[in-house]
C-alpha cells in the first residue's frame, strides 16, 4: 500500500507563495503520473497540476497557469507544487495523488489516480 504525505500548507496573504511537498512511503515505480488536486468548502475537487514521469511533461488547470509549477527531479524524490502569486480563491485543501497514464490527448495527457494523500490546507487572505 502506497502512502502519500503532503506538507507545506499554511496561511499566507494574497500575492504570497507556498511550496507543497508530497512524499511517498515507498518507491512507486508503477505509478507514472503524479498530481495535485484541491477542494474548497462546498466545491467539487479539481485538478490543479499533473506531471507525467515518463518525460516529465506537465499539465495545469487554466486557473493556475503561470503561477503554479509542479516538479519532481527523479522518481525517488518528493513531488513539489510551487505556488506563487496566490489569490484568495486558491484557498482549499490540497491533495497529492499517484496514478498511471491512460492516454495522450490533443491537449496533453490523461491519468487515472489510484492513491491519495490526506491533504494539506492552504489559506490565502486578502
Amino acid at each position: 500500500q502506497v502512502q502519500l504525505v503532503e506538507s507545506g500548507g499554511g496561511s499566507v496573504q494574497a500575492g504570497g507563495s507556498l511550496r507543497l511537498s508530497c512524499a511517498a512511503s515507498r518507491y512507486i515505480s508503477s505509478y507514472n503520473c503524479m498530481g495535485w488536486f484541491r477542494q474548497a468548502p462546498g466545491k467539487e475537487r479539481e485538478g490543479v497540476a499533473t506531471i507525467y514521469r515518463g518525460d516529465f511533461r506537465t499539465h495545469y488547470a487554466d486557473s493556475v497557469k503561470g503561477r503554479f509549477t509542479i516538479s519532481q527531479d527523479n522518481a525517488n524524490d518528493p513531488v513539489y507544487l510551487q505556488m506563487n502569486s496566490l489569490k484568495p480563491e486558491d484557498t482549499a485543501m490540497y491533495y497529492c495523488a499517484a496514478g498511471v497514464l491512460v492516454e495522450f490527448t490533443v491537449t496533453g495527457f490523461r491519468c487515472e489516480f489510484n492513491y491519495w494523500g490526506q491533504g494539506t490546507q492552504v489559506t490565502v487572505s486578502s
Side-chain angles (χ1 to χ4, degrees), residues 28 30-35 97-101 111-115:
I28 47 175
S30 60
Y31 297 97
N32 53 19
C33 287
M34 299 295 295
V100 295
L101 179 73
C111 301
E112 179 179 298
F113 291 95
N114 307 105
Y115 291 100

Side-chain angles (χ1 to χ4, degrees), residues 38-101:
R38 68 186 181 187
Q39 187 167 20
K43 294 188 177 181
E44 293 186 355
R45 185 178 61 196
E46 64 170 337
V48 175
T50 306
I51 186 167
Y52 168 56
R53 302 195 299 181
D55 57 11
F56 295 100
R57 67 180 69 186
T58 57
H59 182 269
Y60 297 93
D62 288 342
S63 58
V64 306
K65 280 181 182 176
R67 300 189 298 122
F68 290 11
T69 302
I70 187 171
S71 64
Q72 184 181 30
D73 291 336
N74 63 61
N76 284 334
D77 288 344
V79 177
Y80 300 102
L81 184 68
Q82 179 67 44
M83 305 186 296
N84 299 327
S85 302
L86 282 162
K87 305 175 181 180
E89 51 264 43
D90 294 319
T91 295
M93 185 72 80
Y94 283 71
Y95 299 92
C96 175
V100 295
L101 179 73

Side-chain angles (χ1 to χ4, degrees), residues 12-34:
V12 295
Q13 290 190 325
S17 298
L18 284 173
R19 188 192 195 202
L20 305 184
S21 297
C22 172
S25 59
R26 62 178 176 85
Y27 179 51
I28 47 175
S29 59
S30 60
Y31 297 97
N32 53 19
C33 287
M34 299 295 295

